[in-house]
Amino acid sequence: GENVEQHPSTLSVQEGDSAVIKCTYSDSASNYFPWYKQELGKRPQLIIDIRSNVGEKKDQRIAVTLNKTAKHFSLHITETQPEDSAVYFCAAKETSYDKVIFGPGTSLSVIP
Amino acid sequence: DTGVSQDPRHKITKRGQNVTFRCDPISEHNRLYWYRQTLGQGPEFLTYFQNEAQLEKSRLLSDRFSAERPKGSFSTLEIQRTEQGDSAMYLCASSARTGSYEQYFGPGTRLTVT
């Protein structure tokens, strides 16, 4: 089955700097890659997603890139703000049914 | 509130007792998922329904766990003979019929087994 790895596990950046989180997946047939943000004590919320027929997607300060050949995808947050502080999870959807496998998470701290 | 809801939000039980959690998905969503999340980890897939059919169940799920979605609407997750290792946040998510893979999560049920 699918396996998703995520790095780094923790990340601290100064407010205004960029943050990059990287993930790898094992199933070359996976076709959907969402990113979720989870604030302390709250439910995971989708912030951006990308399908396998697209190499890059951007939404304001957030962008995701996908390299299908290398089975890598990354989240980029520019001009970070303190409210970006949270745990971020990448995930990959298996082609069988709609099972989504999550990475272990990255705890992002944005220092004012 | 038209989002995914879960009940109860917190449950404390003694080891060996049975517990049941409920999830109400967004009304027009036909897919429903259960996940377990422990501190510092990502949500771990448990099982998945399309309408009332349970299509997949994680190999990690022991026989003590069972889930139902009898009419294709709300779902229940039951844990029998709870163990301390079952302590976790149990999350439910739902997604729409076709064209969208986006999953909307509920607030979760935090289970503590003493």
Side-chain angles (χ1 to χ4, degrees), chain A residues 12-31:
Chain A
S12 290
V13 299
Q14 291 291 133
E15 182 177 358
D17 287 351
S18 295
V20 180
I21 303 171
K22 298 182 179 181
C23 290
T24 61
Y25 61 99
S26 60
D27 184 353
S28 58
S30 288
N31 61 354

Side-chain angles (χ1 to χ4, degrees), chain A residues 58-109:
Chain A
K58 189 173 182 179
D59 182 5
Q60 298 182 342
R61 298 186 295 109
I62 295 172
V64 59
T65 58
L66 172 65
N67 182 329
K68 287 192 298 182
T69 303
K71 293 187 282 187
H72 289 174
F73 58 115
S74 300
L75 178 71
H76 304 251
I77 306 174
T78 59
E79 301 171 15
T80 53
Q81 301 168 3
E83 51 266 37
D84 295 329
S85 296
V87 179
Y88 291 81
F89 295 100
C90 62
K93 186 186 82 70
E94 292 191 346
T95 51
S96 60
Y97 306 117
D98 288 319
K99 181 177 173 180
V100 174
I101 303 299
F102 284 79
T106 295
S107 178
L108 173 64
S109 297

Side-chain angles (χ1 to χ4, degrees), chain A residues 36 38 43 46 51 89 98, chain B residues 31 37 42 99 102-103 105:
Chain A
Y36 284 84
Q38 188 173 30
R43 70 190 77 186
L46 182 76
R51 300 200 181 197
F89 295 100
D98 288 319
Chain B
R31 300 170 193 164
Q37 186 176 29
E102 180 176 354
Q103 295 187 17
F105 281 86

Side-chain angles (χ1 to χ4, degrees), chain B residues 75-91:
Chain B
S75 175
T76 58
L77 177 68
E78 181 183 18
I79 309 174
Q80 295 182 328
R81 305 181 303 282
T82 52
E83 302 173 356
Q84 287 188 322
D86 296 332
S87 295
M89 176 73 82
Y90 290 84
L91 292 164

Side-chain angles (χ1 to χ4, degrees), chain B residues 13-25:
Chain B
T13 191
K14 292 185 177 180
R15 189 175 54 187
Q17 298 295 305
N18 298 344
V19 294
T20 300
F21 309 141
R22 175 179 170 128
C23 171
D24 286 88

